[in-house]
Amino acid sequence: MKVRIVPATFLLLCISFALGIPLERVRAGDEPKSTRPAIYDESADGSKQIAEALVIAKKENKHVLLQFGANWCGWCHRLHNLFQTDKNIAETLKRNFIVVLVDVNKGHNADTDLKYGHPMRFGLPALVVLDSDGKQLTTQDSGKLEEGDHHSPVKVLAFLEAWAPKKQP
């Protein structure tokens, strides 16, 4: 059996051997982006998703949080992960918001982006908060919620609390 080694693989083998690093460790950190789980439905109609979310928000006295992004976007995955793993953020979202992940890959849902003032101009992910009637309350450049190589839980929570619906006593 003949094994063909392509130049990149050969170089990786040489470097890992020279440094004494097991090949598995070198490759683990170089995982292709395509192996990330898909969090955005690339076939979903953003307008329909939002209309459905508004019905629920109206019934439950919540706001709608739109997260414009794409499955290839690392920052989108980071924010989504923070929404799920940070206990305070997850509880605040569940209590106050219906979250809609609007896929904008390759121009998908461009009409929805345009309808809400082109929030993608800030980059991805971009956040928009709607009241239960569909009125746009704010647009947030998620870069302002970052701290170094991650989103700041403190900044994200402060943003969510500032735009949560005011509950009747």
Side-chain angles (χ1 to χ4, degrees), residues 13 21-23 33 84 88-89 103-104 107 138 146 156 168:
L13 285 168
I21 302 171
L23 183 59
K33 294 176 186 172
Q84 293 183 325
N88 293 330
I89 291 172
D103 174 65
V104 292
T138 192
E146 294 171 10
V156 170
Q168 299 295 331

Side-chain angles (χ1 to χ4, degrees), residues 117-156:
H118 190 49
M120 287 178 31
R121 71 187 180 279
F122 297 117
L124 298 178
L127 303 173
V128 173
V129 177
L130 310 175
D131 69 11
S132 61
D133 293 320
K135 178 183 173 197
Q136 187 169 344
L137 301 176
T138 192
T139 299
Q140 178 65 49
D141 170 359
S142 69
K144 294 184 178 182
L145 303 176
E146 294 171 10
E147 195 169 88
D149 66 349
H150 62 283
H151 291 94
S152 163
V154 172
K155 291 177 184 179
V156 170

Side-chain angles (χ1 to χ4, degrees), residues 36-40 65 67 70-71 73-91 93 99 101 125 127 149-153 156 160:
R36 291 181 184 137
I39 57 175
Y40 291 89
L65 177 67
Q67 180 180 325
N71 288 320
C73 169
W75 283 100
C76 298
H77 282 269
R78 288 176 185 171
L79 185 60
H80 181 73
N81 186 51
L82 182 64
F83 282 177
Q84 293 183 325
T85 60
D86 184 284
K87 183 181 173 188
N88 293 330
I89 291 172
E91 287 175 3
L93 283 168
V99 178
L101 299 174
L127 303 173
D149 66 349
H150 62 283
H151 291 94
S152 163
V156 170
L160 294 173

Side-chain angles (χ1 to χ4, degrees), residues 27-36:
R27 298 197 74 152
D30 194 28
E31 182 178 310
K33 294 176 186 172
S34 62
T35 62
R36 291 181 184 137

Side-chain angles (χ1 to χ4, degrees), residues 56-71:
I56 297 167
K58 190 77 158 174
K59 276 194 253 182
E60 297 181 7
N61 190 30
K62 294 181 178 181
H63 284 169
V64 175
L65 177 67
L66 308 179
Q67 180 180 325
F68 289 82
N71 288 320

